[in-house]
Amino acid sequence: FGVGLGCLAQAGCSLILDFSDKQIPIDAPPDVFTVAECSFAEPNDTFESAVAQPVGTPSMAALCADGQQDKDFYKFTVPAATVSLTAKIEFLNLAGDLDLYLYDSTGVELSRSVGNRDNEQIVCPGAAPVCALGMTPPIPEGDYVLEVRSLGGVQNTYSIDVTLGM
């Protein structure tokens, strides 16, 4: 704010804050996400409307709440003889915290990554976070669903990726 600590310690020193746009630096404009990021794979706001996420191919998306809670759901298939599954989202927490959930095809939650840092990741088999697919390979073949969500309608861009170890 342009006031040094020396001024605060001196008698008769005053502090005037000017929050108008005339002062430099001007606040940054609000985050704006591209139409492509906000509309990627939409509508995928429910478990039933989950869209296919290609395994091994990261995709860029965004939660764009527009005044309400946005959630994104992605489905993928695990083939037989898969020994590991890694699902991750990459984002900057400073722009808004996102969380990642893993479900089986019936909607039973298998794992979640809900920290308050950049990025979230689920690894199966794994213990941190716990993955209910067991502690030893193989991963049961079948369809799975990922959910990306935020608390309180936070908006943020993210990259989502699923990799399988054979």
Side-chain angles (χ1 to χ4, degrees):
F1 295 157
V3 176
L5 291 177
C7 179
L8 295 176
Q10 296 176 6
C13 181
S14 64
L15 176 65
I16 299 173
L17 300 175
D18 183 350
F19 294 103
S20 72
D21 285 342
K22 297 175 192 169
Q23 299 304 309
I24 297 177
I26 298 173
D27 287 341
D31 291 332
V32 177
F33 306 123
T34 68
V35 172
E37 289 169 332
C38 287
S39 62
F40 176 77
E42 292 292 343
N44 67 337
D45 298 328
T46 65
F47 186 88
E48 296 74 26
S49 65
V51 296
Q53 171 60 35
V55 172
T57 305
S59 301
M60 287 300 299
L63 290 183
C64 302
D66 293 333
Q68 58 186 339
Q69 179 84 21
D70 187 17
K71 299 176 183 180
D72 288 342
F73 291 84
Y74 302 92
K75 60 185 172 184
F76 62 97
T77 300
V78 172
T82 301
V83 297
S84 67
L85 177 161
T86 302
K88 65 181 176 179
I89 53 174
E90 295 182 346
F91 61 94
L92 293 177
N93 187 57
L94 186 60
D97 187 35
L98 304 179
D99 297 322
L100 182 64
Y101 295 78
L102 174 66
Y103 303 96
D104 70 10
S105 62
T106 66
V108 173
E109 183 181 308
L110 302 171
S111 187
R112 67 172 74 174
S113 181
V114 293
N116 58 357
R117 61 195 180 282
D118 291 353
N119 310 323
E120 299 290 350
Q121 178 172 285
I122 296 170
V123 178
C124 301
V130 172
C131 181
L133 291 175
M135 295 304 294
T136 59
I139 302 296
E141 67 180 293
D143 295 328
Y144 294 89
V145 174
L146 291 170
E147 176 187 5
V148 179
R149 74 168 105 145
S150 68
L151 295 175
V154 167
Q155 299 184 51
N156 200 349
T157 58
Y158 63 92
S159 169
I160 184 166
D161 191 20
V162 176
T163 56
L164 304 175
M166 306 305 265

